[in-house]
Amino acid sequence: MAEATRPFSTFQRLFVLSLLLLWNSDAYSIKPGFVSPVYVNKFSSKTVLSPLWQSSNNNEIVKDTDNVNGDTNAPVIRSFDKKIQKLNRDKMKFMEKLNAYEAELQNLNQKKEEYIAKLQVGQPPVGGNFSETTMRSVVKALCWRVIAGSITFLTSFRFSGSLTTALSIVGSDFFSKAFTMFIGERLMNKSQAGRKGGADDPGRSLIKALVWRLFAICNTLTMSWLISKDLSIASKIAGSDAIFKTALMFVYERVWARIEWGKEYIIEFSI
Protein backbone atom coordinates (compact mmCIF):
# COMPACT_ATOMS: atom_id res chain seq x y z
CA MET A 1 0.00 0.00 0.00
CA ALA A 2 1.41 3.32 -1.12
CA GLU A 3 2.41 5.87 1.39
CA ALA A 4 0.02 8.84 1.57
CA THR A 5 1.40 12.24 0.37
CA ARG A 6 1.99 14.61 3.18
CA PRO A 7 0.72 18.19 2.77
CA PHE A 8 3.22 21.09 2.60
CA SER A 9 4.07 22.59 5.87
CA THR A 10 3.68 26.30 6.56
CA PHE A 11 7.43 26.84 6.32
CA GLN A 12 7.59 25.16 2.96
CA ARG A 13 4.77 27.26 1.60
CA LEU A 14 6.49 30.49 2.71
CA PHE A 15 9.75 29.36 1.13
CA VAL A 16 8.11 28.66 -2.22
CA LEU A 17 6.27 31.99 -2.16
CA SER A 18 9.56 33.82 -1.48
CA LEU A 19 11.21 32.13 -4.44
CA LEU A 20 8.34 33.18 -6.70
CA LEU A 21 8.57 36.81 -5.54
CA LEU A 22 12.32 36.90 -6.07
CA TRP A 23 11.94 35.45 -9.55
CA ASN A 24 9.32 38.05 -10.52
CA SER A 25 11.38 40.90 -9.09
CA ASP A 26 14.47 39.88 -11.04
CA ALA A 27 12.51 39.37 -14.24
CA TYR A 28 11.00 42.85 -14.30
CA SER A 29 13.91 44.75 -12.68
CA ILE A 30 11.66 46.35 -10.08
CA LYS A 31 13.29 48.13 -7.21
CA PRO A 32 11.45 48.65 -3.98
CA GLY A 33 9.77 52.04 -3.73
CA PHE A 34 10.44 52.96 -7.40
CA VAL A 35 8.18 52.66 -10.43
CA SER A 36 10.54 52.12 -13.32
CA PRO A 37 9.52 53.64 -16.66
CA VAL A 38 11.15 50.65 -18.40
CA TYR A 39 11.11 47.01 -17.58
CA VAL A 40 13.00 44.28 -19.37
CA ASN A 41 11.45 40.92 -19.79
CA LYS A 42 14.16 38.31 -19.66
CA PHE A 43 12.14 36.10 -21.91
CA SER A 44 11.71 38.85 -24.57
CA SER A 45 14.13 41.19 -26.40
CA LYS A 46 11.63 44.08 -26.39
CA THR A 47 11.88 47.03 -24.04
CA VAL A 48 8.53 48.49 -23.06
CA LEU A 49 7.31 51.27 -20.80
CA SER A 50 5.83 50.55 -17.46
CA PRO A 51 2.04 50.88 -17.51
CA LEU A 52 2.14 53.46 -14.74
CA TRP A 53 4.74 55.53 -16.63
CA GLN A 54 2.77 55.28 -19.86
CA SER A 55 -0.28 56.73 -18.17
CA SER A 56 1.70 59.61 -16.67
CA ASN A 57 3.53 60.39 -19.92
CA ASN A 58 0.32 60.35 -21.95
CA ASN A 59 -1.21 62.90 -19.58
CA GLU A 60 1.80 65.22 -20.01
CA ILE A 61 1.68 64.97 -23.82
CA VAL A 62 -2.01 65.89 -23.81
CA LYS A 63 -1.25 68.80 -21.45
CA ASP A 64 1.53 70.15 -23.73
CA THR A 65 -0.79 69.97 -26.74
CA ASP A 66 -3.36 72.00 -24.85
CA ASN A 67 -0.71 74.64 -24.06
CA VAL A 68 0.19 75.04 -27.73
CA ASN A 69 -3.35 75.26 -29.05
CA GLY A 70 -5.01 76.84 -26.05
CA ASP A 71 -5.33 80.41 -24.76
CA THR A 72 -2.04 80.32 -22.84
CA ASN A 73 -0.16 81.07 -26.10
CA ALA A 74 -2.31 84.12 -27.02
CA PRO A 75 0.05 86.78 -25.52
CA VAL A 76 2.87 85.65 -27.80
CA ILE A 77 0.62 85.86 -30.84
CA ARG A 78 -0.55 89.34 -29.80
CA SER A 79 3.09 90.41 -29.46
CA PHE A 80 3.80 89.30 -33.02
CA ASP A 81 0.67 91.10 -34.24
CA LYS A 82 1.72 94.35 -32.57
CA LYS A 83 5.17 94.24 -34.15
CA ILE A 84 3.71 93.48 -37.56
CA GLN A 85 1.25 96.36 -37.27
CA LYS A 86 4.00 98.75 -36.17
CA LEU A 87 6.21 97.80 -39.11
CA ASN A 88 3.29 98.27 -41.50
CA ARG A 89 2.64 101.76 -40.10
CA ASP A 90 6.32 102.67 -40.44
CA LYS A 91 6.30 101.33 -43.97
CA MET A 92 3.35 103.57 -44.89
CA LYS A 93 5.09 106.63 -43.42
CA PHE A 94 8.27 105.97 -45.36
CA MET A 95 6.29 105.37 -48.52
CA GLU A 96 4.63 108.77 -48.10
CA LYS A 97 8.03 110.42 -47.62
CA LEU A 98 9.41 108.58 -50.63
CA ASN A 99 6.55 109.79 -52.78
CA ALA A 100 7.12 113.36 -51.58
CA TYR A 101 10.84 113.13 -52.39
CA GLU A 102 10.06 111.73 -55.82
CA ALA A 103 7.71 114.61 -56.54
CA GLU A 104 10.24 117.20 -55.34
CA LEU A 105 12.98 115.53 -57.38
CA GLN A 106 10.89 115.77 -60.51
CA ASN A 107 10.17 119.42 -59.73
CA LEU A 108 13.88 120.19 -59.32
CA ASN A 109 14.76 118.42 -62.55
CA GLN A 110 12.12 120.45 -64.34
CA LYS A 111 13.46 123.71 -62.88
CA LYS A 112 16.98 122.70 -63.87
CA GLU A 113 15.91 122.12 -67.46
CA GLU A 114 14.12 125.46 -67.54
CA TYR A 115 17.17 127.21 -66.09
CA ILE A 116 19.50 125.65 -68.68
CA ALA A 117 17.11 126.55 -71.46
CA LYS A 118 16.93 130.19 -70.37
CA LEU A 119 20.72 130.40 -70.09
CA GLN A 120 21.06 129.11 -73.63
CA VAL A 121 18.82 131.89 -74.97
CA GLY A 122 20.51 134.52 -72.81
CA GLN A 123 17.64 135.16 -70.39
CA PRO A 124 18.27 135.59 -66.65
CA PRO A 125 16.88 132.81 -64.45
CA VAL A 126 13.66 133.34 -62.58
CA GLY A 127 14.24 134.34 -58.96
CA GLY A 128 18.02 133.88 -58.87
CA ASN A 129 18.62 134.26 -55.14
CA PHE A 130 22.18 133.29 -54.31
CA SER A 131 24.80 133.26 -51.59
CA GLU A 132 28.45 134.30 -51.90
CA THR A 133 31.17 131.89 -50.86
CA THR A 134 33.73 132.83 -48.23
CA MET A 135 36.54 132.87 -50.81
CA ARG A 136 34.61 135.33 -52.97
CA SER A 137 34.28 137.67 -49.99
CA VAL A 138 38.03 137.36 -49.25
CA VAL A 139 39.01 138.19 -52.83
CA LYS A 140 36.58 141.12 -52.99
CA ALA A 141 37.92 142.58 -49.74
CA LEU A 142 41.59 142.25 -50.73
CA CYS A 143 41.12 143.59 -54.26
CA TRP A 144 39.23 146.60 -52.99
CA ARG A 145 41.86 147.23 -50.36
CA VAL A 146 44.55 147.39 -53.04
CA ILE A 147 42.53 149.89 -55.09
CA ALA A 148 41.45 152.03 -52.14
CA GLY A 149 44.90 151.86 -50.51
CA SER A 150 46.51 153.24 -53.66
CA ILE A 151 44.17 156.23 -53.61
CA THR A 152 44.74 156.78 -49.89
CA PHE A 153 48.50 156.71 -50.46
CA LEU A 154 48.28 159.44 -53.11
CA THR A 155 46.06 161.72 -51.02
CA SER A 156 48.16 161.15 -47.88
CA PHE A 157 51.38 161.96 -49.72
CA ARG A 158 49.81 165.06 -51.27
CA PHE A 159 48.59 166.59 -47.99
CA SER A 160 51.39 165.40 -45.67
CA GLY A 161 54.25 165.85 -48.10
CA SER A 162 55.96 162.87 -46.48
CA LEU A 163 56.42 159.53 -48.17
CA THR A 164 56.98 157.88 -44.80
CA THR A 165 53.73 159.30 -43.42
CA ALA A 166 51.78 158.20 -46.48
CA LEU A 167 53.17 154.68 -46.34
CA SER A 168 52.48 154.48 -42.60
CA ILE A 169 48.86 155.57 -43.06
CA VAL A 170 48.23 153.07 -45.87
CA GLY A 171 50.08 150.22 -44.18
CA SER A 172 48.45 150.73 -40.79
CA ASP A 173 44.89 150.18 -41.98
CA PHE A 174 45.45 147.86 -44.94
CA PHE A 175 44.81 144.59 -43.10
CA SER A 176 42.37 146.11 -40.59
CA LYS A 177 40.17 147.51 -43.35
CA ALA A 178 40.47 144.35 -45.43
CA PHE A 179 39.33 142.28 -42.46
CA THR A 180 36.52 144.71 -41.65
CA MET A 181 35.28 144.68 -45.24
CA PHE A 182 35.36 140.87 -45.20
CA ILE A 183 33.18 140.85 -42.08
CA GLY A 184 30.82 143.35 -43.73
CA GLU A 185 30.56 141.16 -46.83
CA ARG A 186 29.68 138.12 -44.75
CA LEU A 187 27.03 140.04 -42.82
CA MET A 188 25.50 141.50 -45.98
CA ASN A 189 25.52 138.04 -47.50
CA LYS A 190 22.95 136.92 -44.95
CA SER A 191 20.37 139.22 -46.53
CA GLN A 192 18.72 138.53 -49.89
CA ALA A 193 17.40 142.07 -50.21
CA GLY A 194 18.22 143.48 -53.62
CA ARG A 195 19.26 140.15 -55.08
CA LYS A 196 17.04 139.39 -58.02
CA GLY A 197 17.82 137.97 -61.40
CA GLY A 198 21.00 136.28 -60.19
CA ALA A 199 22.92 139.45 -59.21
CA ASP A 200 22.93 142.41 -56.82
CA ASP A 201 20.75 145.22 -58.11
CA PRO A 202 22.04 148.85 -58.22
CA GLY A 203 20.20 149.80 -55.03
CA ARG A 204 21.99 147.13 -53.02
CA SER A 205 25.35 148.17 -54.46
CA LEU A 206 24.72 151.83 -53.56
CA ILE A 207 23.76 150.99 -49.98
CA LYS A 208 26.88 148.85 -49.54
CA ALA A 209 29.08 151.66 -50.92
CA LEU A 210 27.58 154.29 -48.57
CA VAL A 211 27.75 152.09 -45.46
CA TRP A 212 31.33 151.10 -46.16
CA ARG A 213 32.40 154.67 -46.92
CA LEU A 214 30.98 155.87 -43.60
CA PHE A 215 33.06 153.36 -41.73
CA ALA A 216 36.17 153.95 -43.90
CA ILE A 217 36.10 157.73 -43.31
CA CYS A 218 36.10 157.20 -39.55
CA ASN A 219 38.90 154.68 -39.82
CA THR A 220 41.08 156.79 -42.12
CA LEU A 221 40.54 159.94 -40.03
CA THR A 222 41.60 158.15 -36.85
CA MET A 223 44.70 156.52 -38.30
CA SER A 224 45.78 159.69 -40.13
CA TRP A 225 45.49 161.76 -36.98
CA LEU A 226 47.43 159.23 -34.88
CA ILE A 227 50.27 159.06 -37.43
CA SER A 228 50.51 162.68 -38.63
CA LYS A 229 49.67 164.22 -35.22
CA ASP A 230 47.78 166.90 -37.15
CA LEU A 231 43.97 166.93 -37.17
CA SER A 232 43.71 169.27 -40.15
CA ILE A 233 45.86 167.00 -42.32
CA ALA A 234 43.92 163.95 -41.15
CA SER A 235 40.63 165.70 -42.01
CA LYS A 236 41.85 166.56 -45.52
CA ILE A 237 43.05 163.01 -46.14
CA ALA A 238 39.79 161.45 -44.91
CA GLY A 239 37.49 163.92 -46.64
CA SER A 240 39.25 164.38 -49.96
CA ASP A 241 38.58 160.89 -51.25
CA ALA A 242 35.15 160.40 -49.64
CA ILE A 243 33.07 161.26 -52.71
CA PHE A 244 35.52 159.74 -55.17
CA LYS A 245 35.85 156.46 -53.28
CA THR A 246 32.08 156.19 -52.81
CA ALA A 247 31.53 156.40 -56.55
CA LEU A 248 34.45 154.03 -57.17
CA MET A 249 33.03 151.56 -54.64
CA PHE A 250 29.67 151.60 -56.42
CA VAL A 251 31.35 150.84 -59.76
CA TYR A 252 33.40 148.11 -58.07
CA GLU A 253 30.24 146.45 -56.73
CA ARG A 254 28.54 146.62 -60.13
CA VAL A 255 31.50 144.86 -61.73
CA TRP A 256 31.42 142.09 -59.13
CA ALA A 257 27.66 141.72 -59.63
CA ARG A 258 28.38 140.47 -63.14
CA ILE A 259 30.97 137.94 -62.01
CA GLU A 260 29.50 134.47 -61.51
CA TRP A 261 32.51 133.02 -59.69
CA GLY A 262 31.83 132.32 -56.03
CA LYS A 263 28.04 132.40 -56.31
CA GLU A 264 25.94 129.57 -54.93
CA TYR A 265 22.36 129.79 -56.11
CA ILE A 266 19.77 129.03 -53.49
CA ILE A 267 17.26 126.36 -54.43
CA GLU A 268 14.18 126.09 -52.28
CA PHE A 269 13.90 122.51 -51.14
CA SER A 270 11.51 121.44 -48.45
CA ILE A 271 9.46 118.37 -47.70
Side-chain angles (χ1 to χ4, degrees):
M1 182 176 181
E3 183 179 355
T5 303
R6 292 180 299 176
F8 289 104
S9 65
T10 303
F11 175 76
Q12 290 175 337
R13 291 177 181 176
L14 291 176
F15 178 76
V16 173
L17 181 60
S18 298
L19 290 177
L20 290 175
L21 288 175
L22 288 175
W23 181 82
N24 288 332
S25 175
D26 184 57
Y28 291 100
S29 299
I30 300 174
K31 297 180 181 180
F34 175 75
V35 179
S36 176
V38 178
Y39 65 88
V40 179
N41 192 341
K42 289 186 175 181
F43 304 100
S44 175
S45 61
K46 294 183 179 181
T47 302
V48 295
L49 291 175
S50 169
L52 294 177
W53 183 264
Q54 286 182 345
S55 177
S56 176
N57 194 34
N58 289 336
N59 292 335
E60 291 182 359
I61 293 175
V62 173
K63 185 177 180 181
D64 291 340
T65 305
D66 293 339
N67 288 336
V68 172
N69 299 324
D71 293 338
T72 56
N73 203 31
V76 178
I77 296 177
R78 286 197 298 269
S79 177
F80 280 115
D81 290 338
K82 288 181 180 179
K83 291 181 179 179
I84 293 173
Q85 292 174 2
K86 182 179 182 300
L87 290 177
N88 284 330
R89 289 194 299 267
D90 293 340
K91 177 182 176 181
M92 293 301 297
K93 291 180 181 179
F94 282 113
M95 290 298 296
E96 292 176 358
K97 289 184 178 180
L98 180 61
N99 293 333
Y101 278 115
E102 290 289 344
E104 189 64 26
L105 183 61
Q106 292 180 359
N107 186 26
L108 288 176
N109 287 328
Q110 182 179 358
K111 287 183 178 180
K112 177 183 175 182
E113 296 297 330
E114 293 176 357
Y115 182 83
I116 295 175
K118 289 180 180 297
L119 287 179
Q120 290 176 350
V121 298
Q123 297 180 1
V126 179
N129 291 339
F130 66 93
S131 175
E132 294 183 348
T133 62
T134 302
M135 186 55 64
R136 179 184 171 97
S137 298
V138 170
V139 173
K140 282 183 68 176
L142 291 176
C143 289
W144 172 251
R145 194 68 256 134
V146 172
I147 297 172
S150 301
I151 298 173
T152 302
F153 171 77
L154 295 175
T155 55
S156 299
F157 179 72
R158 176 186 176 186
F159 291 108
S160 67
S162 172
L163 184 62
T164 304
T165 301
L167 289 174
S168 298
I169 293 174
V170 174
S172 63
D173 64 355
F174 182 87
F175 291 104
S176 63
K177 281 186 176 180
F179 178 74
T180 305
M181 184 174 179
F182 169 76
I183 297 299
E185 286 290 322
R186 301 314 297 165
L187 293 176
M188 290 291 292
N189 189 51
K190 294 182 178 296
S191 173
Q192 291 297 319
R195 282 182 171 173
K196 299 297 181 182
D200 291 354
D201 60 19
R204 182 184 176 94
S205 298
L206 180 60
I207 292 175
K208 289 179 68 176
L210 292 174
V211 171
W212 172 249
R213 182 47 38 201
L214 179 62
F215 170 80
I217 288 175
C218 297
N219 187 285
T220 303
L221 178 63
T222 302
M223 298 305 300
S224 299
W225 176 63
L226 291 175
I227 294 174
S228 65
K229 306 300 182 182
D230 191 332
L231 185 59
S232 62
I233 294 177
S235 299
K236 291 178 181 180
I237 294 173
S240 62
D241 60 353
I243 298 176
F244 179 71
K245 280 189 178 179
T246 301
L248 186 61
M249 181 69 171
F250 175 78
V251 175
Y252 182 78
E253 284 291 327
R254 298 312 302 152
V255 172
W256 270 97
R258 296 177 177 273
I259 299 175
E260 291 294 321
W261 175 79
K263 290 182 179 180
E264 294 180 347
Y265 287 91
I266 300 174
I267 300 175
E268 296 181 358
F269 182 80
S270 59
I271 297 296

